[in-house]
């Protein structure tokens, strides 16, 4: 068995395709297939099934995958630690992120960090809160941006409070107000983010005894803006999500200050590789500077 075969197997699973894995790793599809077949021959059972929709893990493949990811993780950390001892700053940092962080924070953070540490490679996986927590717990990313509290027993670092705000069309009867009460929210048709991105809003509604009248649940913030813009209902979103908002959409404060708390989470920050620790230290320093944030 070799680390190279483990890397091929893990990449095939992540991308769901032998061809895509080969393109990513610079290998032919034949070489990728041979590596998978070699592992299956050594272990005595199949690890992947192949179909028109791509490849899928067998139950046995699923069992061994978590061990393979641990081996690859510890190998990456060893390589980075050896480089660190020799005064080199190299490595790969895998980060789980959600859309507003990707759009509002990461372009500046990654640009600056890459200038400081050009030999450290950053890989991003974007999803919703549930996706990111799954990726962290299964070792697919080293750490991820989350809304605190998380549903897992992770170690977390808080970075910023992001106000939750109400949006409605400018011809809505409440559009002239600067604030909306939860009593009024209870009466309105609510357009929500899809499950996995709606944790903060559901928590706030529950804390204020509001049973929402949910009109739609949508994955895309721009789709939510458009629905609100056309008078289909109101929505409540974090301030960081309200960029590129249409001119005829009004933003109101909630009657009380309500936030989502953006942070980062990992299974353990102490055991992260040197390159990941460097990135987190830079991220914490960046997030502690109030000039990087502005209110809308």
């Amino acid at each position: 068995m070799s680390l190279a075969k483990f890397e091929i197997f893990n990449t095939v699973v992540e991308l769901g395709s032998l061809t895509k894995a080969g393109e990513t790793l610079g290998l032919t599809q034949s070489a990728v297939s041979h590596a998978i077949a070699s592992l299956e021959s050594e272990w005595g059972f199949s690890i992947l099934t192949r179909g028109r929709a791509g490849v899928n893990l067998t139950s046995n493949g699923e069992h061994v995958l978590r061990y393979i990811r641990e081996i690859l993780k510890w190998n990456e950390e060893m390589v980075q630690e050896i480089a660190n001892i020799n005064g080199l700053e190299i490595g790969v940092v895998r980060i789980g992120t959600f859309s507003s962080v990707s759009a509002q924070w990461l372009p500046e953070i990654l640009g600056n960090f890459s200038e400081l540490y050009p030999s450290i490679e950053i890989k991003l996986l974007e999803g919703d809160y549930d996706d990111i927590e799954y990726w962290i717990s299964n070792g697919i990313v080293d750490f991820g941006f989350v809304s605190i509290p998380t549903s897992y027993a992770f170690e977390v670092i808080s970075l910023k409070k992001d106000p939750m705000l109400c949006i409605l069309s400018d011809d809505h009867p409440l559009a002239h107000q600067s604030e909306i009460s939860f009593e009024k929210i209870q009466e309105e048709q609510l357009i929500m983010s899809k499950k996995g991105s709606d944790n903060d809003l559901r928590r706030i509604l529950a804390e204020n005894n509001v049973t929402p009248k949910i009109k739609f649940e949508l994955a895309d913030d721009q789709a939510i803006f458009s629905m609100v813009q056309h008078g289909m209902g109101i929505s409540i979103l974090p301030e960081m999500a309200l960029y590129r908002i249409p001119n005829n959409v009004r933003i109101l404060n909630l009657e009380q200050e309500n936030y989502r708390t953006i942070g980062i989470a990992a299974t353990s920050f102490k055991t992260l590789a040197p390159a990941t620790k460097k990135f987190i230290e830079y991220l914490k320093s960046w997030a502690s500077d109030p000039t990087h944030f502005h209110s809308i």
Side-chain angles (χ1 to χ4, degrees), residues 47-279:
I47 54 179
L48 294 174
T49 59
R50 301 157 180 81
R52 289 184 179 179
V55 296
N56 293 289
L57 281 167
T58 65
S59 59
N60 288 330
E62 197 168 338
H63 286 312
V64 298
L65 178 62
R66 63 190 185 97
Y67 295 106
I68 284 175
R69 284 177 169 160
E70 279 295 306
I71 291 168
L72 293 172
K73 172 177 174 283
W74 284 109
N75 180 68
E76 172 67 22
E77 292 182 11
M78 180 187 71
V79 169
Q80 290 188 30
E81 191 59 50
I82 291 169
N84 197 46
I85 291 168
N86 288 316
L88 302 173
E89 292 165 335
I90 66 167
V92 179
V93 182
R94 298 173 178 84
I95 305 169
T97 178
F98 48 87
S99 59
S100 54
V101 166
S102 300
Q104 301 279 61
W105 288 9
L106 289 181
E108 180 178 344
I109 291 170
L110 296 182
N112 294 345
F113 186 80
S114 295
E115 286 185 12
L116 293 171
Y117 304 104
S119 296
I120 295 178
E121 181 184 356
I122 307 295
K123 292 188 175 181
L124 301 177
L125 259 68
E126 187 176 273
D128 59 35
Y129 298 149
D130 290 348
D131 293 330
I132 295 166
E133 290 178 1
Y134 174 82
W135 295 334
I136 296 168
S137 64
N138 286 276
I140 296 169
V141 298
D142 300 311
F143 74 94
F145 289 92
V146 294
S147 175
I148 301 171
T150 73
S151 57
Y152 288 75
F154 296 137
E155 291 184 10
V156 297
I157 296 171
S158 177
L159 297 175
K160 183 183 185 293
K161 286 185 174 180
D162 188 22
M164 298 292 288
L165 301 170
C166 178
I167 59 171
L168 38 74
S169 65
D170 63 2
D171 58 1
H172 190 284
L174 302 176
H176 64 283
Q177 299 183 182
S178 61
E179 182 178 281
I180 187 170
S181 68
F182 286 102
E183 185 180 359
K184 291 293 185 184
I185 290 169
Q186 174 77 66
E187 299 170 2
E188 296 289 331
Q189 297 285 341
L190 192 61
I191 300 167
M192 294 187 63
S193 298
K194 73 175 179 70
K195 181 173 171 51
S197 299
D198 61 351
N199 308 20
D200 303 293
L201 178 53
R202 289 191 181 274
R203 169 180 53 80
I204 289 167
L205 294 176
E207 287 171 356
N208 290 277
N209 301 311
V210 174
T211 303
K213 297 175 181 175
I214 300 172
K215 179 83 170 179
F216 301 117
E217 294 182 70
L218 302 170
D220 181 62
D221 289 342
Q222 295 298 317
I224 293 175
F225 297 163
S226 183
M227 290 291 183
V228 169
Q229 183 182 20
H230 288 86
M232 301 301 293
I234 69 170
S235 189
I236 299 172
L237 293 167
E239 183 179 63
M240 276 178 56
L242 301 181
Y243 60 96
R244 292 187 300 174
I245 195 162
N247 292 331
N248 57 341
V249 171
R250 287 274 292 136
I251 300 172
L252 306 186
N253 295 315
L254 303 183
E255 66 175 308
Q256 303 160 12
E257 289 190 339
N258 288 277
Y259 300 90
R260 71 169 174 180
T261 301
I262 299 174
I264 53 174
T267 51
S268 170
F269 288 112
K270 292 178 182 176
T271 60
L272 292 173
T276 307
K277 289 179 177 177
K278 281 187 186 298
F279 185 90

